[in-house]
Amino acid sequence: MYLKKIVQIIIGIMILLGKTYSQESFDLFGFASYGSKNGFRLNSFEKNAGNFSHSKNWELATIFGGEMKTGEQISNNIYLISLANKLDKHYLYSRFTPGYVKEFVIKTGSTITLEDSTNILQNSIKYEEKFGLGYAYSIAPNISAGFSLRYFENALNTEKIEFYFSDTLNTLLTSNEKQYKKYWRGDLGITYSYSDFVRFNLSTANLFIFNEDGSFSENGNLNLRTNKSVLFTADLFLSNGMSSSIGIESSGSGFLSFNVSHDLFYGVFDFGVSGYHDKFQQPFISTVMPHFNFRNELFSAGVVWVNYLQNRSGSQPLSKLSETGMHSIINNQFSADKILLNLNFALSFKQEKSVEFVEVKVLAQIYPTLSDEYLEYPFAVASVKNLTDKKVTVKPSSFIQRINSGKVYSPAVIIPAFGEAEVPFYTIIENDEIGTSSRDISQANFYLSTQSSDEEDEIQKPILIHNKNAWDGKVENLNYFVMRDYSFSSSKAKTILKEKEQVGNSEIEILSDIRTLFNSFIKNMNYVSDPRTSFEYVQFPEQTFELKGGDCDDLSVAFSSLLESIGIATAFVDYVSADKISHVSLLINIKLPPEKANLITKNDKKYFIRENSNAENEIWIPLEMTSLSDFETSWNLASEKFYREGIVELGIAKGNVRIIDIY
Amino acid sequence: MKKIIALCFLMIMNISAQTFTVEKVKGKVQVLKGTSEQFVDVIQGQTLTGEDVLVTDNNSFVQLKKDNTKFNLNSNSALGMNYLKQMSINDLLLVLALEEIRSLPKNIKQNNSSSTAIYGSKVSPSKNTNASIDEFGIKRINGAKQLAESGFKESAVASAKETFRKYPSANSDFNGRLFFADLLYDLKLYEEALSDYTKINELELSEEERKIISNRIEKTNLELAEKQ
């Protein structure tokens, strides 16, 4: 939407402003792919007026090179020094261009002969781009727009003869007449990444010329031409390291580039070639520009050979310059071959991210007592993106304040090149001694690291931490409350059974123990509802003994703990009613085979047969904890409910009555 | 004729409220009510509910009436009154699924309750049969068969499944097992029938019994092949 509107505006401006021509897309970096895998800018205003860059740091760049004119020595020069920085979504760029100079010397043919010397009058024209500033803003992850400002200074120096007359002496001297034209040039550009593999760029040339100062008066044809044009480029990045770029200017000039990248010596080696077609130069492909480049995370170094296919004569008639005009300081019909060395440095050594968070979802609140739950099930899951063209092994870790004493690492996840993956986060409850009356919002920090670096990305999310008696309402998780006070429960159970007399029949000794423990346990208990809180509250067995009461969860947990602590297997029976209100009672394994059922009861509705892992059938009996009456009454009450709702009404098969083993 | 009577019985029997009146009693007929441990004699005119278990002795008989329909429980039989109702195929499938749910999850170490060295010795599954419990299991199976013969095939299978689990001696009775596996076949629950036939085939069988069960398996496999 944005892109379409901006393109329409730019094209509209171009049409209104009239004829457009001249090549502007030639720069001195060659085509060293500036794909997403490249952290350096590697191009200039000429191709990239919108200042698009993947650079994340301070970056210093320089171009040093030499021009090889026919019959002359190579002239060395620093062509460009630039400094850039990325600040969040803002990108700032500045360049100083001492080598962006073109100077012509025009011999007038007028000769002055003095007694001891001869001077030939000559004029000169000098075109200079002094410096430039650029800015870009990342509108969206795949859209960047910006502008560039460049300052130009053209100078025409005319040598003239001046005659000085006096009474005694006539003198003939030469003097210089200088004419300047200085101005600012502004351009706009926008870059749109359709995908990681395709990118488009649209930019202007000479869109705004302002603050003009001076003129060449009658020699206006010699001014640097500022005809307006539009440049459209398309970049294609293939996954095998090959890339291509095509640029078309509204003038009819353009370029085509190919590049191959290969991993080498802990970096990437690029080799490519570009061909330029300029309307004002011959032949049709006027310039071929091979280049090679090496880059890693800290620097980029490349060599570019600017090779003009037409022989450039050392001198040409002034009329030619006047007729065709000067359109580009660094690329014109008078330019000579060049060898250039490009160097780019990352000035801050902050490593480029290879992975980043797209989103983190906290899946669970933290109930400190349910400790193992967070080892088995993730409490959060993140969507993580691989920003590189290689598969990356991500090591996720997290830290929850008040819960963890240090980072907790979750299993590593491999993400394919440029891919996205779900990364689960698990945690360990190291501090479950959190207050008993309150819950609190804490902060969970999520980190991503890779094999090559630590903490490539970090994000913080709030998370609700409950107190240690809080329960998430899942009967399966009452296990944690049962196991909490095993040593207390074991000691308590042994104390109670110490006084018990043996029944004399080892086959029903377990039932006898259960009966003794139950009658001892229940006689001091009262039914007490949960406190009025917005979360489920479960007492630990020791708390239930201290408080001498609790609700069905508390009493079932405490008695189950007594039995489990001395090796008697128990299960919770969860009755879920239509209104979702849950009731919990117990099912207890008395380790008796069905053949011996008549040792405990004549009524087969009072027990349930379950098959153990050895394929042996065993008798389990139901027990209701809230009747607060003796063992036989509790057994009968529980049996009636269990048989009616679980068996007759098929509650077990339908899932309305769930048997949840404690282990 | 028996089938017609059973069909009429099915059509008019109100199955929602499980209350029955005892119409006739002959011999020793007792009821075990709710979770009681005491069998008590049944008397004519008594009302029974779905939570009761009715038991008849040798040469005994009881006739139940609900509205205008009647059901006879013959001698040497036991029947949970909750099964005296029409059950849908879907409910029967749920009952069969319950057989799987009865098993403990495989990740539970069942031996954890064997460490009660101080408080009791480990009880091994006994091979010894107990006369009274064996007898009661056979009575339950007899009751279930009478349910099936009266048209309550689904309820009969459900009752038998519970009995086989609770009374191991009934579980090893070839004819009893075969009867209810055939019922599943009649109900076109071929996969369930095949499962039962296969389990029966694992029992200690005579050659003749082995032959019968092999034929049943072959026949059921053919039905399953045709279904596919």
Side-chain angles (χ1 to χ4, degrees):
Chain A
M1 193 67 183
Y2 285 122
L3 181 67
K4 194 177 173 186
K5 288 216 166 189
I6 291 167
V7 169
Q8 284 172 344
I9 291 166
I10 292 173
I11 290 174
I13 290 169
M14 292 300 154
I15 291 167
L16 285 173
L17 292 177
K19 194 175 174 184
T20 60
Y21 54 91
S22 94
Q23 179 164 33
E24 292 285 347
S25 55
F26 182 100
D27 74 9
L28 300 179
F29 282 94
F31 171 65
S33 157
Y34 56 104
S36 56
K37 54 192 173 182
N38 194 332
F40 295 105
R41 177 172 167 132
L42 292 181
N43 57 41
S44 195
F45 288 148
E46 287 76 10
K47 276 198 184 75
N48 183 16
N51 291 291
F52 174 79
S53 175
H54 276 294
S55 169
K56 299 288 190 298
N57 299 323
W58 281 96
E59 180 184 346
L60 176 69
T62 179
I63 300 177
F64 175 79
E67 194 169 48
M68 299 171 286
K69 291 178 185 170
T70 309
E72 294 182 23
Q73 283 190 326
I74 294 174
S75 58
N76 300 325
N77 207 343
I78 295 172
Y79 280 82
L80 176 146
I81 298 171
S82 71
L83 188 65
N85 189 24
K86 183 82 177 274
L87 295 165
D88 191 19
K89 293 181 177 180
H90 307 274
Y91 179 74
L92 302 168
Y93 179 77
S94 62
R95 75 179 191 181
F96 172 54
T97 45
Y100 281 39
V101 177
K102 188 68 185 173
E103 186 170 14
F104 298 98
V105 176
I106 306 161
K107 293 178 180 174
T108 63
S110 302
T111 306
I112 303 167
T113 304
L114 299 175
E115 289 178 355
D116 54 352
S117 64
T118 299
N119 280 336
I120 300 172
L121 290 179
Q122 58 183 29
N123 299 337
S124 67
I125 308 169
K126 191 175 183 182
Y127 303 98
E128 282 183 278
E129 181 185 334
K130 295 281 191 182
F131 58 88
L133 303 167
Y135 170 79
Y137 180 73
S138 179
I139 299 167
N142 59 343
I143 301 177
S144 167
F147 65 86
S148 61
L149 295 172
R150 297 149 76 178
Y151 183 72
F152 289 85
E153 189 174 297
N154 304 332
L156 176 61
N157 185 30
T158 310
E159 222 172 29
K160 287 183 177 176
I161 302 166
E162 295 280 352
F163 293 94
Y164 290 85
F165 299 98
S166 68
D167 295 341
T168 57
L169 182 68
N170 292 331
T171 310
L172 188 62
L173 294 172
T174 59
S175 66
N176 290 322
E177 182 184 303
K178 284 197 173 179
Q179 292 177 300
Y180 288 97
K181 182 173 183 184
K182 302 170 185 177
Y183 62 90
W184 284 87
R185 167 183 162 177
D187 286 303
L188 302 176
I190 185 164
T191 302
Y192 170 65
S193 297
Y194 176 74
S195 69
D196 288 331
F197 306 104
V198 181
R199 187 170 57 229
F200 303 106
N201 178 282
L202 190 66
S203 57
T204 67
N206 297 308
L207 181 60
F208 305 111
I209 302 295
F210 57 98
N211 244 12
E212 290 181 271
D213 181 18
S215 75
F216 282 3
S217 60
E218 68 273 17
N219 295 308
N221 280 348
L222 298 178
N223 275 325
L224 184 64
R225 305 291 171 93
T226 54
N227 305 96
K228 302 180 191 310
S229 65
V230 175
L231 168 66
F232 173 77
T233 62
D235 304 306
L236 177 67
F237 306 98
L238 302 176
S239 56
N240 57 6
M242 295 179 69
S243 56
S244 180
S245 182
I246 185 168
I248 301 169
E249 295 183 36
S250 55
S251 64
S253 299
F255 68 89
L256 183 63
S257 303
F258 294 98
N259 192 77
V260 178
S261 300
H262 188 71
D263 292 352
L264 198 70
F265 302 124
Y266 304 103
V268 179
F269 181 81
D270 303 300
F271 173 76
V273 64
S274 305
Y276 285 83
H277 164 68
D278 185 355
K279 185 179 176 182
F280 295 96
Q281 295 185 57
Q282 294 297 328
F284 183 81
I285 301 296
S286 58
T287 321
V288 174
M289 193 186 291
H291 73 270
F292 65 86
N293 184 72
F294 176 81
R295 57 193 157 91
N296 59 26
E297 290 169 352
L298 303 178
F299 73 92
S300 158
V303 174
V304 177
W305 176 27
V306 181
N307 178 29
Y308 290 98
L309 298 181
Q310 184 188 49
N311 280 331
R312 301 295 163 100
S313 166
S315 62
Q316 294 190 36
L318 179 62
S319 59
K320 190 174 179 185
L321 176 62
S322 181
E323 279 169 22
T324 57
M326 177 64 72
H327 298 278
S328 166
I329 295 174
I330 57 171
N331 177 40
N332 51 61
Q333 62 271 42
F334 308 101
S335 297
D337 293 355
K338 297 179 188 68
I339 293 284
L340 302 157
L341 172 67
N342 303 322
L343 293 171
N344 293 57
F345 298 97
L347 294 186
S348 61
F349 295 98
K350 182 182 159 192
Q351 192 158 7
E352 290 292 313
K353 283 200 290 191
S354 57
V355 289
E356 70 176 11
F357 285 112
V358 177
E359 188 184 18
V360 175
K361 282 184 189 169
V362 175
L363 304 174
Q365 301 166 7
I366 299 293
Y367 295 87
T369 299
L370 316 185
S371 52
D372 288 354
E373 279 297 288
Y374 306 104
L375 287 174
E376 194 168 350
Y377 303 103
F379 76 98
V381 65
S383 184
V384 175
K385 189 171 187 182
N386 177 358
L387 304 173
T388 72
D389 59 346
K390 301 179 187 69
K391 72 175 180 184
V392 169
T393 301
V394 178
K395 292 181 285 182
S397 58
S398 60
F399 172 75
I400 306 174
Q401 292 167 24
R402 298 173 58 216
I403 290 291
N404 302 136
S405 59
K407 276 189 194 175
V408 178
Y409 284 86
S410 296
V413 174
I414 297 171
I415 307 177
F418 298 117
E420 205 169 303
E422 279 205 343
V423 176
F425 285 85
Y426 302 85
T427 194
I428 298 168
I429 309 294
E430 292 169 88
N431 173 25
D432 62 0
E433 292 300 329
I434 291 171
T436 53
S437 59
S438 66
R439 55 183 176 165
D440 199 7
I441 294 201
S442 186
Q443 295 296 328
N445 291 59
F446 299 91
Y447 307 94
L448 295 177
S449 54
T450 60
Q451 285 175 331
S452 57
S453 70
D454 294 331
E455 287 183 27
E456 295 212 357
D457 204 3
E458 178 182 350
I459 199 166
Q460 195 175 57
K461 290 272 179 182
I463 189 166
L464 188 62
I465 310 287
H466 290 272
N467 69 50
K468 65 180 181 180
N469 283 105
W471 170 49
D472 63 359
K474 295 177 185 169
V475 176
E476 295 87 333
N477 291 335
L478 285 176
N479 277 347
Y480 295 102
F481 293 85
V482 172
M483 294 184 286
R484 171 87 175 202
D485 291 339
Y486 262 3
S487 57
F488 166 83
S489 298
S490 174
S491 166
K492 195 84 182 172
K494 287 171 184 172
T495 304
I496 294 168
L497 292 176
K498 213 171 185 179
E499 308 300 322
K500 174 184 162 268
E501 290 180 8
Q502 299 291 305
V503 292
N505 183 347
S506 63
E507 290 179 316
I508 57 169
E509 200 67 54
I510 291 176
L511 181 69
S512 171
D513 288 349
I514 295 166
R515 181 183 283 112
T516 304
L517 287 170
F518 182 86
N519 288 333
S520 171
F521 169 77
I522 214 74
K523 69 182 178 189
N524 295 320
M525 292 294 162
N526 294 300
Y527 186 87
V528 183
S529 294
D530 275 346
R532 282 174 56 81
T533 57
S534 54
F535 57 89
E536 297 271 3
Y537 180 96
V538 176
Q539 292 167 189
F540 298 119
E542 190 169 359
Q543 289 175 316
T544 301
F545 274 93
E546 283 172 7
L547 298 169
K548 298 186 186 313
D551 68 355
C552 65
D553 309 329
D554 305 324
L555 297 172
S556 296
V557 163
F559 192 62
S560 170
S561 180
L562 275 185
L563 299 182
E564 291 277 345
S565 72
I566 57 168
I568 298 173
T570 60
F572 290 115
V573 183
D574 181 24
Y575 296 93
V576 183
S577 61
D579 55 7
K580 301 289 177 195
I581 293 173
S582 181
H583 175 72
V584 174
S585 66
L586 290 178
L587 204 57
I588 302 164
N589 185 357
I590 60 168
K591 299 294 284 180
L592 197 65
E595 297 90 324
K596 304 282 182 168
N598 62 337
L599 291 176
I600 62 161
T601 180
K602 292 174 185 169
N603 193 327
D604 63 11
K605 290 198 288 282
K606 291 176 66 174
Y607 59 90
F608 186 62
I609 305 297
R610 304 185 77 196
E611 189 179 83
N612 67 21
S613 54
N614 299 325
E616 296 163 351
N617 283 328
E618 292 174 326
I619 292 174
W620 291 63
I621 61 165
L623 204 55
E624 173 58 49
M625 304 305 299
T626 54
S627 68
L628 302 177
S629 50
D630 62 42
F631 175 80
E632 302 300 336
T633 308
S634 297
W635 182 14
N636 287 340
L637 281 172
S639 298
E640 274 180 20
K641 186 175 176 69
F642 184 82
Y643 193 76
R644 185 177 64 252
E645 295 186 26
I647 307 296
V648 176
E649 295 173 6
L650 300 174
I652 297 172
K654 289 177 179 172
N656 301 328
V657 178
R658 297 189 307 140
I659 299 171
I660 297 149
D661 288 281
I662 295 163
Y663 56 94
Chain B
M1 188 63 186
K2 191 187 275 183
K3 283 187 178 174
I4 294 168
I5 294 168
L7 190 61
C8 293
F9 182 82
L10 281 177
M11 288 171 69
I12 57 177
M13 189 170 216
N14 180 355
I15 58 166
S16 58
Q18 297 290 313
T19 56
F20 303 89
T21 307
V22 177
E23 278 275 294
K24 291 179 185 171
V25 179
K26 181 189 164 192
K28 188 179 180 186
V29 179
Q30 290 187 308
V31 65
L32 189 62
K33 296 191 80 65
T35 53
S36 169
E37 293 289 337
Q38 296 296 322
F39 284 93
V40 293
D41 290 340
V42 170
I43 56 170
Q44 194 171 347
Q46 185 177 353
T47 300
L48 302 176
T49 71
E51 293 177 352
D52 299 337
V53 177
L54 205 54
V55 190
T56 60
D57 217 338
N58 287 334
N59 303 316
S60 301
F61 155 86
V62 62
Q63 185 178 70
L64 304 176
K65 185 182 177 190
K66 181 173 178 59
D67 300 329
N68 293 323
T69 59
K70 293 174 181 175
F71 178 80
N72 294 340
L73 186 65
N74 296 326
S75 62
N76 264 331
S77 302
L79 181 66
M81 301 303 289
N82 57 293
Y83 288 112
L84 195 48
K85 65 178 181 183
Q86 187 62 48
M87 182 182 267
S88 69
I89 283 282
N90 282 342
D91 279 354
L92 175 58
L93 288 171
L94 284 171
V95 169
L96 298 176
L98 178 59
E99 290 301 304
E100 301 301 320
I101 298 170
R102 284 174 190 271
S103 301
L104 258 68
K106 296 297 178 197
N107 56 349
I108 295 180
K109 290 177 183 171
Q110 186 56 28
N111 292 335
N112 64 351
S113 56
S114 302
S115 59
T116 54
I118 300 171
Y119 300 100
S121 59
K122 181 179 176 181
V123 180
S124 301
S126 173
K127 295 288 180 190
N128 299 329
T129 54
N130 181 296
S132 65
I133 197 164
D134 287 352
E135 188 185 330
F136 197 74
I138 290 162
K139 284 185 176 183
R140 281 272 204 182
I141 292 298
N142 287 341
K145 282 180 178 173
Q146 287 167 63
L147 268 181
E149 285 161 1
S150 299
F152 297 97
K153 288 184 179 178
E154 294 85 354
S155 292
V157 173
S159 176
K161 285 285 177 185
E162 188 186 357
T163 306
F164 289 140
R165 179 70 79 164
K166 286 183 171 171
Y167 301 92
S169 58
N171 197 31
S172 56
D173 173 43
F174 174 79
N175 289 324
R177 293 285 298 271
L178 187 64
F179 180 90
F180 292 100
D182 285 346
L183 266 187
L184 288 171
Y185 183 91
D186 291 347
L187 291 167
K188 300 189 187 308
L189 298 174
Y190 299 122
E191 286 180 12
E192 290 75 10
L194 182 64
S195 171
D196 270 14
Y197 289 138
T198 307
K199 284 175 187 166
I200 295 168
N201 201 28
E202 290 166 4
L203 298 174
E204 287 181 17
L205 303 177
S206 66
E207 272 191 29
E208 191 182 345
E209 288 169 339
R210 187 77 65 196
K211 197 174 173 183
I212 291 168
I213 205 70
S214 297
N215 287 338
R216 293 285 208 285
I217 289 172
E218 193 177 335
K219 190 171 132 190
T220 313
N221 276 327
L222 281 173
E223 290 287 354
L224 283 170
E226 274 183 26
K227 263 177 77 174
Q228 290 171 350

